[in-house]
Amino acid sequence: MAATNLSSTASSGVDELLFRNDSVSLCLLVNRRHRTLRIVDFRAGPTPSKRSFVLSTAKREGVEKIFTLVERDEVPTWTRLGFTREGSIPGFYKRSDAWILGAVVSEMTSRLRASGDGEEGGEGDDVAASPAVLLAERTIARARRLLREAEARPLPAIKIAPASSAELRRAASAAQRAGRALTGFEPFGRDAVRTGYVLSARGGFTLHAAWEMQSCFGNSFLELLSSPRHESERLATTAAIGALCDRLVEEKAVSTFTFAPADDQELCAALLANGFRRSAVLARHLVVGRARKDAILWAKKLVAPEA
């Protein structure tokens, strides 16, 4: 007998769907703005009903991208269910990585058919040749050129101050109306505790940012509300990201990660300048303005985990 529950968190933009029966126990986190669904799986194994339930729920909820985070030994389970290995989050579990497996809902049926309806894709998978990865590589190459051109330019001084949840919501609403919002500051994980900041510099630069942390693992998910549009904003954003990383170290975070559109060379340059590395490319993962975009997952080790 199956049980399904809905925990609606309209104020956060994420709904939590719980499903369990004799063989499946899942939590599905539906991000309404990005139209993504994150799968939290409480019971390992490539159960066919798991895939069927996730896919049917995604279609019913209007979701376009589904993904899950797992440890290495669970990667074959999800490739057999038709998911693509898109990369990893280094140090997500403090001393081990989280692997990201995803699927675009509209493409999943054809992918399963092509792979023999659930045969394992193998360690190499086809992600390396995907259009999203090729786009990310071109963007990173352009971002590196921007860094070389700006090597001698000083970074501005940044002021950083706490931002309340209400302030983050107001800023996100304004950025969404302008078509510039990268996020609505929705939760990435369950029972997330979010810390918000507003960062500013001379010349009118203002950036709202937030992170959520899992103290048991020491990881942190960092979100920037908007991307820089030109060089002066890129230099200020670079300094702002550095200030945020310093605060994360003070908060005992071991690692951090963030998403950026795969075609956003200005933001990618600011992240590269702060020592972030591309660790995943996620197909059709973000909505910016009215456009659905591929995303680069950028990650950085902040400190070595304590013994």
Side-chain angles (χ1 to χ4, degrees), residues 39-158:
I39 306 161
V40 181
D41 188 6
F42 302 118
R43 194 172 297 162
T47 311
S49 59
K50 183 183 298 183
R51 179 179 64 205
S52 298
F53 175 72
V54 168
L55 196 54
S56 63
T57 300
K59 291 177 179 178
R60 185 187 71 232
E61 300 294 331
V63 165
E64 297 188 39
K65 174 68 184 287
I66 52 181
F67 70 103
T68 189
L69 273 60
V70 299
E71 295 193 73
R72 179 183 286 275
D73 59 358
E74 275 293 292
V75 169
T77 291
W78 290 92
T79 57
R80 283 197 294 272
L81 291 174
F83 285 67
T84 297
R85 190 183 62 186
E86 296 187 300
S88 66
I89 306 177
F92 186 83
Y93 301 115
K94 189 171 281 191
R95 292 176 180 81
S96 63
D97 301 344
W99 291 87
I100 305 175
L101 293 104
V104 177
V105 174
S106 61
E107 299 172 359
M108 194 171 187
T109 301
S110 58
R111 175 177 168 79
L112 289 171
R113 188 181 301 117
S115 62
D117 193 26
E119 291 299 317
E120 183 179 338
E123 280 295 302
D125 223 334
D126 59 358
V127 66
S130 74
V133 169
L134 296 176
L135 172 61
E137 290 174 348
R138 291 194 297 270
T139 299
I140 292 171
R142 291 194 293 267
R144 292 190 189 281
R145 286 197 293 271
L146 290 176
L147 286 181
R148 289 194 295 270
E149 293 167 0
E151 279 181 335
R153 294 180 177 85
L155 298 180
I158 291 290

Side-chain angles (χ1 to χ4, degrees), residues 151-211:
E151 279 181 335
R153 294 180 177 85
L155 298 180
I158 291 290
K159 294 182 179 180
I160 180 169
S164 66
S165 297
E167 185 177 354
L168 291 179
R169 286 195 298 270
R170 288 193 298 270
S173 295
Q176 288 167 13
R177 289 193 297 272
R180 296 191 59 214
L182 302 178
T183 177
F185 296 118
E186 302 90 355
F188 182 79
R190 305 180 72 205
D191 303 319
V193 177
R194 184 170 297 274
T195 304
Y197 289 96
V198 57
L199 302 102
S200 58
R202 294 182 64 179
F205 172 82
T206 301
L207 175 66
H208 286 82
W211 65 63

Side-chain angles (χ1 to χ4, degrees), residues 291-303:
R292 176 158 288 278
K293 293 177 177 282
D294 302 324
I296 300 174
L297 190 150
W298 294 92
K300 180 179 180 177
K301 286 285 188 69
L302 297 169
V303 296

